[in-house]
Every structure is written in C-alpha cells, then in structure tokens.
C-alpha cells in the first residue's frame, strides 16, 4: 500500500478521535491528559480505525463508515454535554465517560466492518444490515431518552430515576410525559427519532451497496475476523456498563433487594414496641449525618497534633458546651455496606442479632410520629440492606442532582423540608470517598502541607470541605428547622496507602469521628441526657451502637434498644475490653494509639 495512502488513513483516524475529544474540551470535560482514561482511549480509537482502513482499503470518508460515525458522535456528544452540564460548576472528569468511549469505539469499527462484508457478500447483506440497524437503534434510543430526560429535569438520568421508571406503570409514564413535555413536544420527539432511524437505514443501505470491484482474500478475511472479535469483546463488556443497561441493572437489583428486605422487615415491625408509653416528639428536628471515609487521624478537632487545620468549624465548636466530641470512636467494619448495616439498625457486634431482625432508626422515628427524610449525595447502593430499609421507610427520599459530586448540594434538598417542621432527617454524604480531589469543588481553597503527598493534601482538603458542609447543615438546621439535635459519624476511616475495605486492615481505617450537638432548649428539658454525654464522650464507642445513641437522644427506649450501649443513659456500661471492629475479629484495646 502506498505510503501516501497510509498517511491519509492515519491522519483521518487521528482527526476522528481529535474531533470528539476536542468537543469534550469545549463542553468542559476535564483531565483529558489522563493516560488511562484520555490518551489511552484516543490511541485505542486511532489504532482500531487505522487498521480497519488499511485492511479494507476504505478511508473514513467512505459511505460504509457513516452509520457508525453517526451514532459515535451523537452518543458521545450528547452524553458528554449533559454530563458536564449536570456536574454544575464542577463539570466532570473524562474518566466518567470511560465506559461510553470504550463501547462506542467498537460500535464504530464493528458497524463499518459489517458494512464492508455486506457489500461483498450479497447473501449476508440483509442479516448484517439488520444487525447494524438494531445495534445503532439501541444506542440511539438510549441517547434520545437521555436527552429528553435532560430537557425535562436539567440533569442526567440517574440510577434513582431508573428506580422510579421501573416502579411506574404505563399510564403513569404516559401522564408524566404529557404533563412535562406536552402532546405536541412528545409527538415531535417521536417523529424526530423516526426520522433519525430512517436516516440510519439510508446510511446503512448506501454503506453496504454491492462492491464488485473488491474482494476478500483469505489473509484479509483473517485480519478482518480478528478486528471483528476485537470490537465484539469490548462491546459485549461495554453494553451492560452503559446507559440504559447499567442503570437498569443497578435499579433492578436495588428494587429486588428492597422487596426481600422489606418483606422480613414488616414482620419485625409487628413485634416492635416502645418500652413504656410512646415517646413524645421533640420540639424540633433531629439530623443524623453519615460521613464517608472520614479518618479521625486527619481531623484537627479530634487529633490536635495534626499539622493541618482540617476542621476549623468543628475545632471552634469543641469549646461549645452544646457539642460533645467523642475522640475514641471506631467503625464496626471498614467497608461501607457492612458498616451501615449496623450503623443504621438495631444490629451490632455484641447483641447476637442477625440482619433478618433489623429495625432501622427511621422506623423508630416513624413510630414516634416524625415526618422522616433521607437525603443522599451517593447513588443508590444495591445490596446495602440498611440503606434500602432506611430509604424504603422514609416518608420522603431526595438524591442530589448528580450523586457523588458536591456534598454542598444536600443543602438544596434540605431546603425542601418545610421550615419549622419537627422532622427526623438522615443525610448521607459522599465525604472523602476516593478520588479525594473529586470531592472538593474547583474554587474551594484546599490544604497544602509541605512534605505531604498530593494524595494526602487532596484527602485533607476533602475533610476540610466536609467540615464546611457540616457547618452549613448545622446553621440551616438551627435557623430553619429548630434543630434539637445533630449527630455526625463516619461509616469508616481511610488509610492513605490501603484506602479501606475487607482486605488488609489498618487502624487508620477504623478510627472515625463522632460528635453530638444538643440545643440549649433540649438540654434545659433533658439535662440528664447532656450530663451523661459529657460523662461518656471520652469512652470507647463503635458506630454500630448509633441506634442506641440516637434512640437515647429521641428518648425512645424500645425492643431493639439496649441502654448499656447508649452513652446518653446512666446505664451505659460499654467498656474498651468489649469493643471490637471487623465484626468482632479485632479488639479495640489492641490499637497502639488508644489513649
């Protein structure tokens, strides 16, 4: 093959990838220079397109490339634009589009190769044309749905949106679309999709018209076969990981888990009752904030010797008699799902109950009579039974517009609660989940400590931002919800080398922050609660005892509660010799830094 022709093929392949990545830059996708998710993917695209051109002798300008190019640019253009806009002031990093890019490149190459084979093999042409039409139609329909959703809600289609779709019947869906789009716009969208698919069919027809001047010899056929396999394998992996398949899988698993958990839970609730009379509601709201991956070791308020001031608000409030900081708190397990299974329910490492006996904190609040809310900046977590129970029994559930981005967005959801309402509110933060730098807005002034690695500084900056978010939650709760109590504890800590998980264990993964705020009016009405908290804030505590602690604050002893695990009770008798982590595998007294 002529060098000039090879150069043209290569230039066109580079231009094709440069065009889409140039669009990424234009709409605000960041970190394009990242090798794993940016440069590597560009190289993969260039190589696969270039080899396809070389083997077939058809440049990217040939009609057989056009069906694939249409969906390639349409999908990636739409999803990148909507993703960047839904990310607010943050935008999104290129790695968010990794699965989309690694799926659409094979779609581009595969549809072209099938067009090429169809143009040479008349008997195969109808089958290959139909395959291409259905493949492109599948992705096109997904893109149209995603764009339509964005036009309605000004946000990307999230997993919780898919949960709503799966729980909605046909009539409700029709009424929803007519209400938000109107009949004319709905007809217009359907008409546009039909025209788009007609265009796709025309491009497929023109792309695989018979080519009598070309043939496939055995060696070329082997090369094309290898390329087809090279496209099919990542495509088979990618389809389940892109919209709508991935959202469907997450939502379906979440719904099935919720149904199974709720079936058993309803039986448990029949046996639930309060000890004595039903408690009266407090004079205002109670807020429980679940932190994520917050390590006490990196928090100045809990570790005064730490070289960076990562908690300026909480450090100041430490001297406030309304705040009770527990500096010897540990997770029950350094993994979110396992920690929250105990954190939010009456199950702990010490009482011998199993998950089939779960009663959640929100259940208790419901039984008292509080309007209950669950606000999350994390995506729905299939398999996390405790979260599923909490969301299922909450009267209102709010997810931020783009879960995983700015924790400050939980304030937008908090403001949906009527002013002055006596509510029980659980807020789930994204906190300091890796990647740490993604947890901090670009315009937020982070922490830079000489001698600390970039990773440590990024992590400390996420802790600093969490402190700011907690302050805003506290201020809003006091000013608008007559907040009587606020409790914050992390699910687990974080190790700067091993992160967290159920593999290698380090104490940095286990040590976590916990603080309780009680309003002046609460303390005047229940002075003994504040007195006991002050007495026990220096004692060992594990976050699987949160149920008992919060029930104590609500003054709601019940069949799932045990006073000996409640630091608001004079019967609190939990000792360091009892305390464990990793579901009883490791004793807290073995922590070398235990004071």
């Amino acid at each position: 093959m002529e060098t000039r022709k090879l150069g043209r093929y290569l230039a066109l392949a580079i231009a094709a990838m440069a065009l889409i990545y140039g669009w990424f830059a234009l709409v605000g996708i960041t970190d394009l220079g990242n090798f794993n998710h940016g440069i590597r993917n560009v190289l993969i695209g260039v190589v696969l397109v270039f080899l396809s051109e070389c083997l077939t002798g058809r440049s990217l300008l040939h009609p057989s490339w056009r069906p694939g190019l249409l969906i390639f640019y349409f999908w990636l253009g739409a999803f990148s634009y909507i993703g960047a806009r839904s990310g607010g002031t943050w935008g999104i990093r290129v790695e968010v589009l990794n699965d989309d890019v690694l799926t659409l490149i094979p779609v581009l190459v595969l549809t072209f190769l099938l067009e090429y084979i169809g143009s040479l093999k008349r008997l195969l042409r109808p089958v290959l044309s139909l395959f291409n039409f259905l493949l492109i139609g599948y992705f096109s329909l997904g893109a149209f749905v995603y764009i339509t959703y964005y036009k309605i809600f000004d946000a990307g289609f999230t997993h919780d949106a898919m949960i709503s779709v799966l729980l909605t019947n046909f009539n409700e869906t029709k009424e929803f679309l007519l209400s938000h789009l109107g009949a004319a716009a709905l007809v217009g969208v359907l008409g546009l999709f039909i025209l788009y698919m007609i265009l796709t069919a025309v491009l497929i027809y023109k792309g695989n018209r018979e080519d009598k001047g070309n043939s496939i010899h055995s060696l070329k056929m082997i090369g094309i076969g290898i390329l087809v396999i090279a496209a099919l394998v990542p495509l088979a992996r990618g389809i389940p990981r892109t919209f709508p398949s991935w959202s469907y899988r997450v939502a379906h698993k979440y719904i099935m888990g919720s149904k199974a958990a709720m079936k058993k839970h309803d039986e448990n609730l029949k046996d639930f009752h309060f000890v004595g009379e039903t408690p009266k509601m407090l004079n205002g709201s109670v807020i429980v904030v679940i932190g994520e991956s917050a390590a006490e070791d990196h928090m100045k308020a809990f570790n005064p010797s730490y070289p960076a001031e990562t908690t300026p608000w909480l450090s100041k409030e430490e001297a406030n008699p309304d705040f009770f900081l527990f500096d010897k708190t540990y997770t029950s397990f350094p993994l979110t799902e396992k920690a929250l299974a105990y954190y939010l329910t009456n199950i702990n490492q010490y009482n011998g109950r199993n998950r089939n006996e779960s009663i959640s904190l929100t259940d208790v609040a419901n039984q008292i009579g509080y309007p209950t809310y669950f606000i999350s900046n994390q995506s729905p977590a299939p398999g996390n039974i405790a979260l599923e129970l909490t969301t299922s029994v909450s009267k209102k559930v709010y997810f931020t517009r783009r879960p995983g981005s700015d924790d400050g967005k939980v304030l937008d959801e908090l403001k949906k609660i009527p002013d002055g309402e006596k509510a029980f509110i659980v807020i789930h933060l994204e906190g300091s989940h890796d990647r740490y730098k993604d947890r901090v807005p670009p315009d937020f002034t982070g922490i830079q400590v000489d001698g600390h690695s970039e990773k440590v500084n990024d992590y400390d900056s996420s802790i600093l931002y969490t402190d700011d978010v907690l302050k805003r939650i506290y201020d809003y709760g006091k000013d608008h919800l007559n907040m009587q109590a606020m409790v914050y504890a992390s699910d687990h800590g974080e190790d700067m080398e091993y992160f967290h998980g159920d593999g290698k264990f380090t104490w940095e993964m286990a040590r976590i922050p916990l603080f309780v705020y009680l309003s002046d009016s609460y303390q005047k009405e229940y002075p003994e609660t504040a007195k006991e908290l002050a007495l026990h804030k220096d004692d060992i505590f594990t976050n699987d005892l949160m149920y008992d602690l919060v029930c104590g604050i609500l003054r709601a002893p019940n069949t799932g509660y045990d006073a000996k695990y409640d630091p608001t009770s004079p019967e609190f008798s939990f000792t360091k010799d009892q305390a464990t982590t990793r579901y009883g595998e490791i004793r807290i007294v073995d922590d070398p830094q235990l004071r």
Side-chain angles (χ1 to χ4, degrees), residues 289-299 302 329-344 349 378 381 384 387 428-436 439 459 462-463 466 488-496 498-514 541-544 546 580-583 588:
V289 183
I290 307 169
E292 171 65 57
S293 303
E296 182 192 75
D297 293 8
H298 287 253
M299 303 178 76
F302 295 94
T329 306
Y330 295 80
T331 184
S332 64
F333 205 101
L335 192 67
T336 299
E337 189 275 328
K338 292 187 175 182
L340 294 187
Y342 287 7
Y343 185 122
L344 292 168
Q349 299 173 91
Q378 293 202 17
N384 193 323
L387 280 179
H428 193 190
L429 301 179
E430 185 73 7
S432 298
H433 198 286
D434 190 43
R435 295 188 333 170
Y436 312 130
R439 307 283 80 83
Y459 180 78
S462 73
I463 294 291
T466 297
Y488 166 78
S490 186
D491 55 356
H492 51 73
E494 189 83 340
D495 182 278
M496 292 296 96
Y498 300 106
F499 305 100
H500 65 269
D502 56 3
K504 182 178 178 63
F505 173 84
T506 68
W507 286 104
E508 287 78 6
M509 299 176 188
R511 303 186 197 104
I512 60 170
L514 165 63
F541 191 80
T542 54
N543 66 357
D544 50 337
M546 288 292 288
T580 60
T581 184
R582 280 188 64 98
Y583 283 5
I588 299 302

Side-chain angles (χ1 to χ4, degrees), residues 374-412:
F374 180 79
I375 298 171
S376 180
N377 191 35
Q378 293 202 17
S379 296
N384 193 323
I385 302 301
L387 280 179
E388 290 171 6
L389 283 177
T390 302
T391 54
S392 296
V393 302
S394 296
K395 302 304 182 186
K396 292 282 187 179
V397 177
Y398 298 120
F399 287 91
T400 55
R401 285 181 55 194
R402 186 171 177 269
S405 59
D406 184 356
D407 270 336
K409 298 296 183 184
V410 300
L411 271 297
D412 296 336

Side-chain angles (χ1 to χ4, degrees), residues 77-373:
F79 277 73
S80 59
Y81 177 84
I82 293 172
R85 293 300 172 270
S86 299
T89 56
W90 291 42
I92 57 171
R93 297 182 184 277
V94 70
E95 70 177 272
V96 175
L97 297 166
N98 190 58
D99 289 322
D100 299 278
V101 172
L102 292 180
T103 302
L104 270 296
I105 287 174
V107 169
L108 170 62
V109 171
L110 181 64
T111 52
F112 163 69
L113 292 174
L114 297 185
E115 289 281 279
Y116 174 74
I117 295 170
S119 70
L120 302 179
K121 302 293 183 181
R122 184 177 179 181
L123 293 177
L124 293 176
R125 193 176 307 152
V127 176
L128 298 180
S129 296
L130 180 61
F131 180 89
N132 275 351
F133 184 79
L134 294 175
L135 179 64
I136 294 173
Y138 167 80
F139 283 100
S140 299
L141 180 60
F144 266 82
V145 169
Y146 204 86
I147 292 169
T148 303
Y149 185 89
Y150 174 70
K151 291 299 291 183
I152 294 173
F153 293 104
D154 194 31
F157 199 109
T158 58
H159 299 324
D160 58 293
M162 182 62 79
I163 291 172
S164 298
V165 169
L166 296 182
L167 294 175
T168 302
N169 60 43
F170 175 76
N171 286 332
E172 289 173 336
T173 302
K174 182 179 69 174
E175 291 170 1
F176 171 84
L177 291 173
L178 289 173
S179 173
H180 286 81
L181 281 178
L186 182 58
V187 170
V189 170
L190 292 174
L192 190 60
F193 178 71
I194 292 170
L195 289 174
Y196 173 92
M197 292 310 299
I198 291 173
L199 172 62
T200 298
V202 171
L203 292 177
I204 291 173
Y205 172 76
K206 290 184 176 181
N208 64 17
R209 281 188 297 190
E210 188 172 354
D211 186 357
K212 295 181 180 179
N214 207 334
S215 61
I216 304 180
H217 54 73
S218 57
L219 190 59
K220 181 187 285 190
M221 183 55 98
I222 291 172
I224 290 174
I226 292 173
L227 273 180
V228 168
I229 294 171
L232 277 173
V233 171
L235 181 60
R237 174 188 177 276
I239 287 178
R241 299 178 66 85
T242 53
F243 182 83
S245 297
W246 181 249
S247 294
Y248 174 83
R249 289 175 64 194
V250 171
H252 183 263
K253 188 174 181 181
Y254 183 88
I255 291 169
M256 292 301 101
S258 293
K259 287 181 177 178
M262 287 306 297
K263 184 177 180 180
K264 184 62 181 175
H265 166 264
D266 291 343
E267 297 174 10
N268 297 338
L269 208 53
K270 292 177 183 177
D271 297 326
F272 173 89
H273 60 82
F274 292 108
V275 177
E277 296 181 357
T278 301
K280 69 174 185 177
M281 293 171 61
L282 301 179
N283 292 325
S285 294
V286 174
I287 299 178
V288 176
V289 183
I290 307 169
E292 171 65 57
S293 303
E296 182 192 75
D297 293 8
H298 287 253
M299 303 178 76
K300 188 80 168 180
F302 295 94
N303 181 14
S305 64
Y306 196 68
E309 178 49 276
T310 54
T311 56
W313 169 70
L314 193 56
S315 294
K316 178 176 70 69
E317 297 294 356
E318 185 180 9
N320 184 339
D322 297 342
F323 279 77
F324 305 85
L325 275 63
F326 288 66
D327 63 354
K328 297 183 182 67
T329 306
Y330 295 80
T331 184
S332 64
F333 205 101
L335 192 67
T336 299
E337 189 275 328
K338 292 187 175 182
L340 294 187
Y342 287 7
Y343 185 122
L344 292 168
T345 70
N346 60 332
I347 314 300
N348 61 48
Q349 299 173 91
Y350 320 105
N351 61 17
R353 295 191 180 104
N354 62 55
R355 295 193 188 194
N356 288 331
E357 301 174 78
S358 292
I359 293 292
S360 74
L361 281 170
T362 302
D363 285 318
V364 177
N366 281 332
Q367 295 295 314
I368 297 172
Y370 290 96
T372 52
Y373 297 85

